[in-house]
Each structure stands twice: as structure tokens, then as C-alpha cells.
Amino acid sequence: MQVTLIIKRILATKSVGSNGFETRELHGTTEEQYPQTLNIQFTQGRCTLLDNFKEGQKVKIDVNIKGREWTNPAGETTVFN
């Protein structure tokens, strides 16, 4: 899926866990009638791709959406993307 965004902020790279796994997030706003703010997460070697961009810049990003279900202790099921 491709999404066009205006970059709102680019966060610093974070190390997750003890195995050296890295993530970095970009927050951007869509240009629709009802704009949405999206969080796009980059992982591992793709984190450095964000070094080439700045806040306020318009970008087109190809994203892979991943999700999973989770059932809490009360038996309620929710989905995380």
C-alpha cells in the first residue's frame, strides 16, 4: 500500500531488547478531507533512510501493514496494527 504524508516528526532510533534490534518512527499527516496522523515504523537497516528527510516534507511511502489479535485477561479481543 502506498500512502502520501506530510512529515510531522522523525524520532530517534531506539534499540529494542538485548539482540541489537533497532526501530525508528516517522509521524506524518495525510492530505485528505479528514487528515489522519499515522505512525510509520522503520526497522533495522531501514532506520537510516529517514536521515534523508525533514519535517514538513511531503513524501510517498510504501508500507506493509502487519497486525495481530490479542485477548486480554478479561476475555476481550483487540487487534494491533
Side-chain angles (χ1 to χ4, degrees):
M1 169 191 292
Q2 190 174 78
V3 62
T4 301
L5 301 170
I6 302 296
I7 298 174
K8 203 169 188 179
R9 70 185 64 87
I10 299 171
L11 294 120
T13 300
K14 294 180 186 177
S15 292
V16 180
S18 59
N19 61 356
F21 187 79
E22 294 183 326
T23 66
R24 190 171 184 189
E25 296 179 357
L26 174 147
H27 298 166
T29 305
T30 61
E31 293 185 307
E32 303 171 310
Q33 181 178 359
Y34 302 103
Q36 301 292 309
T37 300
L38 302 177
N39 177 38
I40 309 293
Q41 185 181 66
F42 292 70
T43 58
Q44 295 300 85
R46 291 183 181 92
C47 293
T48 58
L49 293 174
L50 294 174
D51 293 340
N52 300 315
F53 299 94
K54 60 184 177 186
E55 294 177 6
Q57 189 173 353
K58 183 176 181 177
V59 295
K60 285 186 182 180
I61 299 175
D62 289 310
V63 296
N64 294 319
I65 298 177
K66 297 180 181 181
R68 68 178 184 90
E69 285 187 341
W70 176 71
T71 304
N72 69 19
E76 301 166 330
T77 301
T78 188
V79 176
F80 293 95
N81 291 332

